[in-house]
Amino acid sequence: MVGELIPSSVDPATAGVDFWRRYHKFRRVRQKESRPDDPLRDDADEEAHMKRVSPFQETVYYEVFRDGEILGLLQGSSVKPASPEYVSNRHLYEADIFVRSEFRRRGIASSFLPVVVELMDRRGCTTLGFWVEEDSGHEFMKWVGAESKLTAIESRLMFSEIEWQEMERWAAEGARRSPDTTLEIIDGPLPEDEWQAFSSQLSAMLNTMPFEDLDHGEIVVTPEKMRDFYERLELSGEVQHTVVTREPDGTISGITDITWAPYRSAFIEQRFTGVRPEARGRGLGKWIKAAMLLHIRDLYPGTRWIATGNARSNAPMLKINRALGFKPYRTGNEYQIIRDRLGGSLTAG
Ligand SMILES: CC(C)(COP(=O)(O)OP(=O)(O)OC[C@H]1O[C@@H](n2cnc3c(N)ncnc32)[C@H](O)[C@@H]1OP(=O)(O)O)[C@@H](O)C(=O)NCCC(=O)NCCS
């Protein structure tokens, strides 16, 4: 049992050097267990991200620590009233818990649950979500009584395995099938006068993604949210590259974007790809993806991996990704449980 070990709140804005020392040690342990192949953010970078207060998202941290070591950490997050997503997402709370392997099965993760319930109650949240990739997490979810609502696959493309001639063919074919459509590549932030049109198209496309059985709200991208996103990228010198297709009337019909960062210079994150429903079936998805890969080849020839995530039920996107050479790398599940059902696990210990 945990005994004297009780969760205590940490505020990154005021945390002292002792906290950062034990936190950086702890996150390295987690990285080694959970994502050993992935690059780790620099300490200064990580601190800057944790200290930055988002206008739209509230994030809180609680640690269980002893003798200068963090044994377990809870990160809780919820949407702020200032967010355009608040109306439809205000009932959702997201928790992430990690306990160092040598301190598991002693009730540390469960000791965070009453804290989570209080955080939810204070914000009026009624559904709790957890993202889980590891066996121990799936077992813990069973005990909590949460159900898996969405399965997502992270796929990776080895840069050295890309068939460049095929990519050139896809790009040429896309242009041939849609001769009146133009393709644009934007390096870095989009020009500010395009944020309004871009964010409304992006929102519409994002909300067509399959969410399986997940209790979810609407995704609302706005110019203010784009500014916030760009400011966050700047903290670690991250760069976004965007490919869009535009129809003759100026409408954006397809979008794909990636990010690159100095701390993971050989590792590209492929973010969202979407084509407006009425523009589907013309090869725009393949065109924008191929154009992006050809652009990455020019900009970042030292790339090793490109990683992307999709719902397991997203057949069209997975089909394009498999044809590009993306292979499944790991699977994760989003679990949810309603607040009133959490009572059982709070008293079970
Ligand atoms: C999941 C995790 C946080 C659990 O931490 P923990 O401190 O060991 O959990 P607890 O001791 O509070 O476990 C509570 C109950 O959950 C169940 N449980 C937890 N881990 C389990 C496991 N590996 N196998 C089977 N049951 C498990 C047990 O019923 C346990 O009670 P018991 O030990 O009395 O039988 C930890 O294993 C971990 O950090 N895993 C990797 C990260 C992760 O997957 N996090 C979950 C996503 S938020």
Side-chain angles (χ1 to χ4, degrees):
M1 289 306 294
V2 203
E4 292 302 299
L5 303 174
I6 45 168
S8 50
S9 160
V10 186
D11 180 358
T14 54
V17 286
D18 287 349
F19 168 74
W20 291 113
R21 196 177 306 117
R22 60 181 181 262
Y23 172 71
H24 291 309
K25 187 170 173 204
F26 176 82
R27 74 188 180 95
R28 282 181 171 76
V29 170
R30 179 173 193 171
Q31 180 88 358
K32 203 166 162 212
E33 174 181 326
S34 306
R35 293 174 174 256
D37 304 333
D38 296 2
L40 189 75
R41 260 183 212 287
D42 304 341
D43 291 352
D45 231 13
E46 177 78 3
E47 288 182 30
H49 273 89
M50 285 174 67
K51 283 178 181 163
R52 181 171 184 273
V53 176
S54 157
F56 305 120
Q57 185 84 8
E58 185 200 53
T59 307
V60 298
Y61 302 90
Y62 285 77
E63 59 174 341
V64 165
F65 79 102
R66 192 181 64 192
D67 301 333
E69 306 250 22
I70 298 182
L71 312 187
L73 188 78
L74 159 72
Q75 178 178 332
S77 55
S78 55
V79 73
K80 283 186 175 175
S83 168
E85 294 174 347
Y86 185 69
V87 181
S88 62
N89 289 272
R90 58 190 291 182
H91 63 297
L92 302 172
Y93 201 83
E94 184 72 20
D96 175 73
I97 302 174
F98 186 85
V99 174
R100 280 178 46 179
S101 57
E102 58 282 36
F103 299 102
R104 289 182 187 161
R105 305 301 293 271
R106 300 185 195 185
I108 293 180
S110 14
S111 76
F112 287 121
L113 294 178
V115 174
V116 173
V117 168
E118 204 192 316
L119 289 164
M120 292 177 73
D121 287 350
R122 262 192 263 146
R123 289 155 187 77
C125 299
T126 49
T127 298
L128 175 62
F130 298 89
W131 173 251
V132 175
E133 294 174 356
E134 283 140 86
D135 291 346
S136 54
H138 294 296
E139 292 300 326
F140 181 59
M141 288 295 104
K142 272 189 214 157
W143 178 77
V144 167
E147 286 172 58
S148 171
K149 302 284 188 169
L150 172 85
T151 304
I153 304 172
E154 179 183 329
S155 304
R156 291 198 177 182
L157 175 61
M158 275 293 264
F159 202 64
S160 57
E161 291 176 2
I162 297 176
E163 293 183 27
W164 293 108
Q165 281 182 348
E166 182 77 354
M167 291 306 100
E168 274 150 16
R169 265 198 300 278
W170 282 24
E173 178 74 1
R176 191 188 61 73
R177 286 177 71 187
S178 299
D180 299 326
T181 305
T182 49
L183 182 135
E184 297 165 21
I185 302 179
I186 304 106
D187 295 318
L190 269 79
E192 204 167 329
D193 59 354
E194 292 190 22
W195 290 3
Q196 188 64 57
F198 181 82
S199 59
S200 68
Q201 286 300 352
L202 180 60
S203 302
M205 290 180 198
L206 282 166
N207 287 297
T208 66
M209 282 191 302
F211 288 95
E212 301 181 354
D213 298 322
L214 199 67
D215 174 355
H216 69 100
E218 203 188 335
I219 304 173
V220 187
V221 186
T222 58
E224 294 70 34
K225 285 191 74 184
M226 289 178 68
R227 185 187 307 283
D228 176 56
F229 172 65
Y230 292 142
E231 284 174 8
R232 244 182 309 135
L233 289 187
E234 259 176 43
L235 290 177
S236 39
E238 274 182 66
V239 189
Q240 183 191 33
H241 301 276
T242 310
V243 172
V244 302
T245 50
R246 209 181 280 279
E247 298 308 308
D249 67 357
T251 312
I252 293 170
S253 47
I255 297 175
T256 189
D257 72 309
I258 60 121
T259 57
W260 173 93
Y263 79 87
R264 51 170 174 87
S265 61
F267 193 99
I268 301 275
E269 263 185 43
Q270 163 72 60
R271 287 163 42 87
F272 181 66
T273 300
V275 174
R276 275 183 70 81
E278 71 277 10
R280 290 179 188 166
R282 280 169 29 199
L284 294 186
K286 287 167 81 174
W287 186 11
I288 54 180
K289 291 282 260 197
M292 180 62 94
L293 287 177
L294 293 164
H295 191 53
I296 294 173
R297 181 177 62 170
D298 291 343
L299 287 182
Y300 307 118
T303 301
R304 269 196 74 222
W305 291 103
I306 303 177
T308 193
N310 308 105
R312 190 174 55 186
S313 56
N314 195 343
M317 196 69 255
L318 282 167
K319 192 168 173 218
I320 295 182
N321 285 340
R322 296 288 171 260
L324 284 164
F326 279 90
K327 297 194 176 79
Y329 184 76
R330 73 178 135 225
T331 302
N333 296 72
E334 179 70 13
Y335 285 81
Q336 288 182 323
I337 180 167
I338 58 167
R339 184 253 175 261
D340 291 344
R341 287 197 52 218
L342 268 168
S345 41
L346 295 185
T347 49

